[in-house]
Amino acid sequence: MVQWGLEYLLGWAIAFGLAVGAAAWIDASRWVGFPPALVARIWWLPPLVAALGVVSALVAPVWRYRVHRWEVSSDVIYTRAGWFNRHWLLVPVSRIQTVDTEQGWIERILGLATIKISTASHEGSSKVAGLPVQIAVRLAEELAGRAHDLRDDAT
């Protein structure tokens, strides 16, 4: 959940910087294309972006944490995601082609990792983010081994 919060904060910090730059440019040039009433209130933009960013960084990670789930059984991997529309995915272990472990720079700082489970079908691929590194590596190795053992002839 901390990872998601940091990602939202960084994204909104960039948006805030762009809003400040745009407001300064429009204010300094008194840009002809904008209505005068909008130009007079252009400095409301950065605080508005900052407020949206703070709300987003506080609410979105909690919401995502309540929605995103995953589970691994002996023969299937179950993931659930989505904001308003839920997406459930069951990936048979026998259909797994690759299991990748990766770390973005925020994950590396926090000691987390993401595993990506790929099948021949794009819709059948899944990922589980925000796992502690040791668990992600162990789970990836276990899934790859099980996929190899359960490989069948189905096409």
Side-chain angles (χ1 to χ4, degrees):
M1 198 160 71
V2 172
Q3 173 190 348
W4 291 328
L6 286 174
E7 288 172 354
Y8 281 103
L9 279 176
L10 288 172
W12 281 101
I14 292 169
F16 176 75
L18 291 172
V20 169
W25 179 57
I26 291 169
D27 187 39
S29 66
R30 295 289 174 189
W31 204 14
V32 179
F34 282 107
L38 182 61
V39 173
R41 292 174 181 85
I42 197 65
W43 284 104
W44 291 7
L45 181 63
L48 178 64
V49 169
L52 288 172
V54 168
V55 169
S56 175
L58 292 175
V59 172
V62 174
W63 190 335
R64 286 182 70 174
Y65 181 77
R66 293 183 58 145
V67 172
H68 287 71
R69 294 286 178 258
W70 65 274
E71 182 179 335
V72 177
S73 70
S74 61
D75 60 344
V76 73
I77 299 155
Y78 162 80
T79 59
R80 182 180 76 183
W83 285 85
F84 298 105
N85 298 322
R86 299 289 191 260
H87 179 75
W88 290 268
L89 184 64
L90 298 168
V91 178
V93 173
S94 62
R95 300 287 188 232
I96 294 175
Q97 289 187 331
T98 61
V99 182
D100 300 317
T101 306
E102 65 180 29
Q103 277 187 307
W105 66 275
I106 294 176
E107 288 177 313
R108 199 167 39 251
I109 290 169
L110 297 173
L112 302 174
T114 297
I115 63 168
K116 287 188 175 184
I117 301 147
S118 301
T119 64
S121 165
H122 171 69
E123 286 294 320
S125 300
S126 185
K127 72 177 184 175
V128 180
L131 297 172
V133 174
Q134 299 83 5
I135 292 174
V137 169
R138 189 181 75 231
L139 184 59
E141 289 171 354
E142 180 183 324
L143 287 173
R146 271 202 251 163
H148 181 267
D149 294 343
L150 292 176
R151 183 82 52 217
D152 61 11
D153 250 355
T155 56

